[in-house]
Amino acid sequence: IRLASENLNISPRRITLSTCGLVPKIYELAQEELPITLSISLHAPNDELRRQIMPIAKAYPFDTLIEACKSYVKTTGRRVSFEYALIDGFNDSVLHAQELASVLRGFQCHVNLIPLNPVKERDLKGSNSKNVKKFYDSLVSSNIAVSIRRSMGQDIHGACGQLRSDYLKEATT
């Protein structure tokens, strides 16, 4: 497969493919032998919580997704990145962090913590900085590679989750 980036002078290693977790496609992607980063929108440390916020989890259970990611790492030698939106009082406790660490321990991955951006239509709010730090520290102490994404674009409703909301609002009016 020839990457479009070859024509743009962009290294494939700088390309990230993001997915909500289409398990069969993760296995297919691993066979492509592309030196790209796979990023999974995880947002929960278990199936019960993930099903509440990610409809795709009904089709592809948590354990099945994690196994596909482990297979991807084994096949490609490339780490998987997990996006984890921290939602106040829902998935942001130290216990959640410990549960996540126990699931991710032992394979090459990175967790990108994202304090949830406010979306008017949802009764959810992002974790406060104190809880974000505790979650982060818990993962670090468990030897899980982790970072905290700096939020940008909230002031113009262009942050993650907000653009979709604005688009849907315009499409229905």
Side-chain angles (χ1 to χ4, degrees):
I1 288 184
R2 187 163 181 241
L3 292 175
S5 62
E6 292 172 3
N7 297 328
L8 300 173
N9 243 357
I10 299 172
S11 169
R13 294 186 181 277
R14 308 286 268 158
I15 296 173
T16 298
L17 186 141
S18 296
T19 177
C20 59
L22 303 172
V23 169
K25 297 299 182 182
I26 293 170
Y27 286 107
E28 285 180 37
L29 180 64
Q31 298 306 312
E32 294 291 328
E33 298 181 13
L34 299 172
I36 63 173
T37 299
L38 174 63
S39 179
I40 306 291
S41 295
L42 194 61
H43 309 311
N46 59 52
D47 205 37
E48 180 185 346
L49 288 180
R50 192 164 193 267
R51 284 174 185 244
Q52 292 178 47
I53 57 172
M54 304 265 321
I56 192 70
K58 292 176 180 100
Y60 303 111
F62 189 84
D63 292 341
T64 304
L65 174 60
I66 296 300
E67 282 308 312
C69 292
K70 288 180 178 181
S71 176
Y72 179 87
V73 170
K74 186 176 180 183
T75 301
T76 66
R78 308 238 345 129
R79 78 178 181 177
V80 173
S81 177
F82 292 104
E83 306 300 318
Y84 194 102
L86 290 162
I87 303 168
D88 185 50
F90 178 75
N91 66 351
D92 66 342
S93 73
V94 170
L95 290 175
H96 291 127
Q98 291 169 346
E99 184 178 4
L100 182 64
S102 71
V103 169
L104 301 182
R105 193 172 291 116
F107 80 103
Q108 207 176 349
C109 66
H110 177 267
V111 177
N112 191 10
L113 299 177
I114 310 160
L116 184 74
N117 293 306
V119 177
K120 286 182 236 173
E121 296 78 16
R122 300 295 304 260
D123 190 25
L124 303 172
K125 66 178 191 171
S127 301
N128 62 47
S129 58
K130 180 180 165 187
N131 286 349
V132 171
K133 178 80 167 99
K134 285 180 181 180
F135 199 99
Y136 173 88
D137 289 344
S138 182
L139 290 178
V140 167
S141 70
S142 295
N143 295 317
I144 302 296
V146 60
S147 58
I148 301 170
R149 182 184 293 170
R150 183 172 50 113
S151 182
M152 298 188 304
Q154 283 188 33
D155 57 331
I156 59 168
H157 299 279
C160 184
Q162 293 178 323
L163 287 173
R164 178 186 172 278
S165 172
D166 285 350
Y167 172 78
L168 289 175
K169 195 181 321 171
E170 283 180 24
T172 59
T173 57

